[in-house]
């Protein structure tokens, strides 16, 4: 259940004709034969509490993602990273402190801008795995995501729906049900100046013999260093989350993100 609380994966400029070149835009894909880089460094703290147990997890994430334009609308992407994890667990009598510094995660897939005019529509398909809490192997998931938005002058409201389908996880981790995610977002910004992406993300997970729903507020503020490079501050905060077994879950994250287009 701890992994579920850590599920963590910008926009329209004032110049509508330049939207596709705005690397802070949530629908941005590099053009044909262009390469984009997204580098992230962040910190996450998660707390779980019920009548008999208290757990605190601290995580530091380093991740690099590369995106390559196969065409003006189709992009191949892949990422790799590592999470440095420390967990403190208490059940009222016993106390456990665990630290694991090698928690590799990686993923790959394709994204397609089906519509990129006034109406925006983007689909993504991929595969990802990580071993943050899988001490005997890796969590493996196939992913599908659809995102749609509508251009309104300097703002771009959008909706995103995603599904993660576990692959061969029933035997080792009792994970055999899809994880569903929905986000309502709003992007606004000014090309080559700044961009702000905010939203509410809902995650529903019925694995690990329980059922949990998370409501997370998210945001990222980006500033252009050059026309092809930005630095951004991102964060998220759990507004409400409770597992079916009456466990309360609190999560906070903050980090820096650098984006380059070559």
């Amino acid at each position: 259940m701890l992994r579920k609380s850590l599920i963590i994966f910008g926009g329209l400029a004032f110049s509508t004709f330049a939207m596709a070149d705005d690397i802070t835009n949530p629908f941005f894909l590099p053009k044909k034969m262009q390469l984009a880089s997204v580098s992230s460094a962040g910190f996450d703290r998660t707390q779980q509490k019920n009548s008999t147990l208290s757990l605190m997890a601290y995580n530091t994430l380093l991740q690099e993602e590369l995106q390559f334009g196969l065409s003006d609308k189709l992009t191949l992407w892949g990422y790799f990273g590592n999470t440095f994890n420390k967990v403190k667990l208490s059940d009222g009598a016993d106390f456990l402190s665990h630290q694991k510094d090698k928690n590799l995660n990686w993923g790959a897939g394709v994204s397609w801008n089906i519509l990129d005019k006034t109406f925006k529509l983007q689909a993504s398909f991929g595969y990802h795995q990580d071993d943050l809490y899988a001490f005997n192997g890796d969590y493996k998931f196939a992913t599908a995501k659809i995102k749609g938005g509508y251009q309104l002058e300097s703002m771009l409201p959008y909706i995103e729906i995603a599904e993660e389908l576990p692959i061969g996880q029933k035997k080792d981790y009792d994970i055999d049900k899809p994880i569903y995610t929905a986000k309502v977002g709003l992007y606004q910004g000014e090309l080559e100046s700044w961009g702000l992406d905010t939203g509410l993300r809902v995650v529903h997970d019925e694995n690990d013999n329980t059922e949990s729903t998370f409501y997370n507020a998210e945001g990222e503020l980006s500033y252009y260093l050059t026309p092809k490079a930005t630095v951004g501050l991102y964060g998220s905060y759990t507004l409400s989350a409770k597992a079916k077994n009456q466990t309360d879950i609190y999560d906070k994250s903050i980090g820096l993100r650098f984006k380059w287009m070559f």
Side-chain angles (χ1 to χ4, degrees):
M1 183 173 62
L2 177 59
R3 178 192 175 276
K4 294 181 293 189
S5 63
L6 300 177
I7 297 176
I8 5 186
F9 264 91
L12 175 68
F14 290 127
S15 300
T16 58
F17 66 85
M19 186 281 295
D21 297 323
D22 183 358
I23 58 178
T24 67
N25 190 298
F27 290 85
F28 167 79
L29 294 179
K31 295 292 189 180
K32 184 177 180 180
M33 302 305 292
Q34 286 186 336
L35 181 67
S37 168
V38 181
S39 304
S40 303
F43 175 78
D44 179 278
R45 189 188 76 170
T46 298
Q47 182 180 15
Q48 297 187 8
K49 295 177 64 177
N50 59 30
S51 58
T52 61
L53 176 144
S54 176
L55 181 148
M56 186 75 75
Y58 303 90
N59 302 282
T60 302
L61 171 69
L62 299 176
Q63 183 171 291
E64 172 66 20
E65 178 177 346
L66 295 175
Q67 305 169 353
F68 179 74
L70 299 175
S71 71
D72 286 349
K73 293 189 175 184
L74 186 65
T75 290
L76 178 67
W77 51 264
Y79 70 85
F80 60 91
N82 188 72
T83 301
F84 303 88
N85 165 250
K86 185 174 183 179
V87 175
K88 294 182 178 181
L89 174 65
S90 174
D91 63 1
D94 297 322
F95 177 82
L96 170 67
S97 181
H98 172 78
Q99 184 165 338
K100 189 167 181 244
D101 291 331
K102 185 181 179 182
N103 303 284
L104 300 177
N105 56 85
W106 66 272
V110 294
S111 294
W112 176 30
N113 269 343
I114 303 170
L115 301 174
D116 60 358
K117 301 300 182 180
T118 302
F119 288 97
K120 320 293 180 189
L121 185 63
Q122 184 182 100
S124 297
F125 304 93
Y127 169 88
H128 75 88
Q129 69 179 54
D130 68 72
D131 62 356
L132 181 54
Y133 299 105
F135 299 109
N136 298 314
D138 298 309
Y139 287 111
K140 304 177 180 69
F141 286 87
T143 61
K145 179 170 64 176
I146 189 75
K147 179 164 50 181
Y150 184 78
Q151 177 179 319
L152 292 171
E153 295 294 333
S154 61
M155 297 187 297
L156 177 62
Y158 65 94
I159 297 175
E160 176 183 297
I161 299 174
E163 178 182 3
E164 293 182 281
L165 184 65
I167 300 175
Q169 308 294 285
K170 175 65 176 178
K171 180 179 179 181
D172 293 329
Y173 310 118
D174 197 27
I175 298 176
D176 62 347
K177 298 181 178 65
I179 299 172
Y180 298 101
T181 302
K183 178 184 178 181
V184 177
L186 176 66
Y187 175 86
Q188 52 188 328
E190 185 174 357
L191 186 64
E192 298 184 10
S193 180
W194 61 276
L196 176 63
D197 186 13
T198 58
L200 174 67
R201 185 182 300 274
V202 181
V203 180
H204 183 73
D205 191 340
E206 298 181 1
N207 290 292
D208 292 351
N209 296 313
T210 186
E211 180 177 336
S212 303
T213 302
F214 303 84
Y215 299 87
N216 297 324
E218 302 178 345
E220 181 173 353
L221 176 62
S222 300
Y223 173 77
Y224 274 82
L225 301 173
T226 73
K228 293 187 177 183
T230 67
V231 59
L233 177 68
Y234 71 87
S236 67
Y237 181 82
T238 300
L239 300 173
S240 174
K242 183 182 285 289
K244 197 173 183 178
N245 63 1
Q246 301 303 307
T247 297
D248 292 309
I249 303 167
Y250 310 91
D251 184 77
K252 302 175 183 178
S253 67
I254 191 170
L256 291 175
R257 184 166 288 135
F258 299 90
K259 299 180 181 180
W260 293 271
M261 186 168 62
F262 303 95

